Amino acid sequence: MNDPTSDKQIAILADDFTGANDAGVSLAQCGMTVDVALSANYVSTAQARIYNSDSRALTASDAAQRVTALTQKIVAHGAPQWLVKKIDSTLRGNVGAEVAAMLQVCKAPAAIIAPAFPTAGRITRNGQCFVHGQLLTDTEFASDPKTPVTSADIGTLLAAHSRAEIRYLHAADVAAALATASASATLLLVVDAQSDAELDEIVAGAESATSRPLLVGSAGLCDALARRLNPCVPRTVLAVVGSMSEIAQQQLAWAAKHPRTEQVFIDINTLFTPAAAEYRQRIVRILVSGRHCLVHTCPDTQARHQIAALCEQQGVSRSELGERICAFLGALTRDVLREAQPDALYLSGGDVAVAAAHALGAKGFSIRGRAAGCVPWGYFSGCLWQRPVMTKAGGFGDETTLLKVLHFIEEKSSD
């Protein structure tokens, strides 16, 4: 794969400023130099250069003229290895007119149009855009006060401004379709994508083509391009949630929507049996594979009402049972961290946090800031674990708190 410090030339043309920034952030996070030009004459030596036509709210003809002029300036400095037309994931603006204008200038034999942004709930199925499961034209974007969307069908928007052949494809068909493209018969390939994996497959297909196509997509496709050019080692979090509060369970459920998470349920009935050793092995495998691991002891909201029966079965008081569970989770955390190195540790529930600190041999906690509204983060002192630690009282926060913590660590620069 390419070195992030190589002289990689990427030119991206967005239709508004925030969209330009969205297009470049994943490239920057993967180690590339990225500049967003606020004027057409901006001179940059960055590996990725992003231009803003500020044309989303213009008429189609005015937008096409502005995109034509900018594209001419881009290619005048030498054709970039990758040319990208960044569009809105909900198709607002002048998608068809701007794609046609860029193709007219760059003479690419094909354009891949893939506006999907799965992590934001925007997917493409059968050539149509859906937002959180709803057809685009049935959402609020259809009545956007500034740039209303008139069709959920991507091909319809393209056909209004181009006579090129339009094909609807799956991600797996991209490479084969590009092999049939030529400068004399430009293809517009509308490609379905419902996951990041499919966006990755689209970029891989584009990279294999003899003549590089124009990429047309949202931040989702730009993220896939960044992963292809400069794959990052994914940051991971070991989250140990000992709290049985309802909000803690909601936080786990929301965090589980993250595409790179896996949950490990600790059945407290098995804590002191030989089967307990399997928890450590499973958690280590998840972390080593580059995924966040969410460890918890409460399968549902009804479990907290079964504590009395469990105490009677074990012949212990509630306090003694709680101490046993926390001691087990603390030791489990210590043993996992001896074999795996997640980028951060998240401890939910005060007793669990203290148990983990004691198991790791920590002498203190140096606070550095907040990872989310109610989640302080810092470092344990006096022990070998010297990566970020985040703690949260069980009942604090809202349903998105743990998900925000995962994003905080994913975006955190190395100290």
Side-chain angles (χ1 to χ4, degrees), residues 154 207 345:
I154 302 163
E207 189 176 43
L345 177 62

Side-chain angles (χ1 to χ4, degrees), residues 23 31 33 37 117 158 166 204 211 254 368 379 408:
T33 55
F117 194 180
L158 298 171
I166 299 171
S211 296
W254 269 80
R368 295 296 181 86
Y379 296 93
F408 172 79

Side-chain angles (χ1 to χ4, degrees), residues 100-359:
M102 284 195 78
L103 279 173
Q104 183 68 28
V105 176
C106 72
K107 306 298 183 185
I112 292 174
I113 300 92
F117 194 180
T119 57
R122 288 87 188 271
I123 66 167
T124 307
R125 185 169 60 236
N126 298 325
Q128 295 186 313
C129 288
F130 291 81
V131 179
H132 296 298
Q134 276 192 298
L135 190 66
L136 178 61
T137 45
D138 293 333
T139 69
E140 63 178 325
F141 299 103
S143 58
D144 187 277
K146 196 171 184 181
T147 54
V149 178
T150 58
S151 177
D153 187 89
I154 302 163
T156 298
L157 299 177
L158 298 171
H161 300 276
S162 175
R163 296 182 179 178
E165 179 184 351
I166 299 171
R167 296 184 189 175
Y168 294 85
L169 305 175
H170 295 296
D173 303 322
V174 167
L178 289 174
T180 68
S182 68
S184 60
T186 304
L187 293 178
L188 299 179
L189 306 178
V190 178
V191 189
D192 285 352
Q194 300 182 60
S195 68
D196 281 348
E198 288 178 306
L199 290 174
D200 291 339
E201 192 171 10
I202 291 169
V203 173
E207 189 176 43
S208 70
T210 303
S211 296
R212 195 62 55 79
L214 170 66
L215 292 183
V216 181
S218 68
L221 190 63
C222 294
D223 290 350
L225 180 60
R227 290 191 293 270
R228 185 71 183 179
L229 297 179
N230 297 304
C232 304
V233 176
R235 292 181 177 272
T236 56
V237 174
L238 170 60
V240 182
V241 180
S243 172
M244 300 184 77
S245 71
E246 290 186 13
I247 190 61
Q249 307 318 306
Q250 292 172 19
Q251 289 162 358
L252 280 165
W254 269 80
K257 297 178 181 180
H258 187 292
R260 198 164 49 81
T261 59
E262 187 166 341
Q263 295 191 51
V264 173
F265 165 59
I266 306 291
D267 184 349
I268 57 180
N269 291 293
T270 65
L271 292 191
F272 307 104
T273 69
E278 298 178 5
Y279 293 130
R280 173 184 54 79
Q281 297 168 4
R282 184 180 173 195
I283 295 167
V284 168
R285 284 197 299 269
I286 292 169
L287 293 170
V288 170
S289 72
R291 287 170 290 169
H292 303 299
C293 185
L294 314 180
V295 179
H296 64 106
T297 59
C298 187
D300 52 49
T301 56
Q302 297 303 314
R304 60 188 300 174
H305 302 298
Q306 301 169 5
I307 296 298
L310 185 58
C311 288
E312 184 176 350
Q313 176 186 331
Q314 297 288 331
V316 296
S317 66
R318 284 177 177 264
S319 177
E320 289 171 330
L321 179 64
E323 289 175 2
R324 288 187 182 186
I325 294 171
C326 289
F328 176 85
L329 292 176
L332 177 65
T333 300
R334 177 199 62 212
D335 294 344
V336 166
L337 297 182
R338 286 173 175 169
E339 298 185 50
Q341 287 293 304
D343 292 279
L345 177 62
Y346 172 88
L347 303 169
S348 177
D351 292 342
V352 169
V354 169
H358 287 164

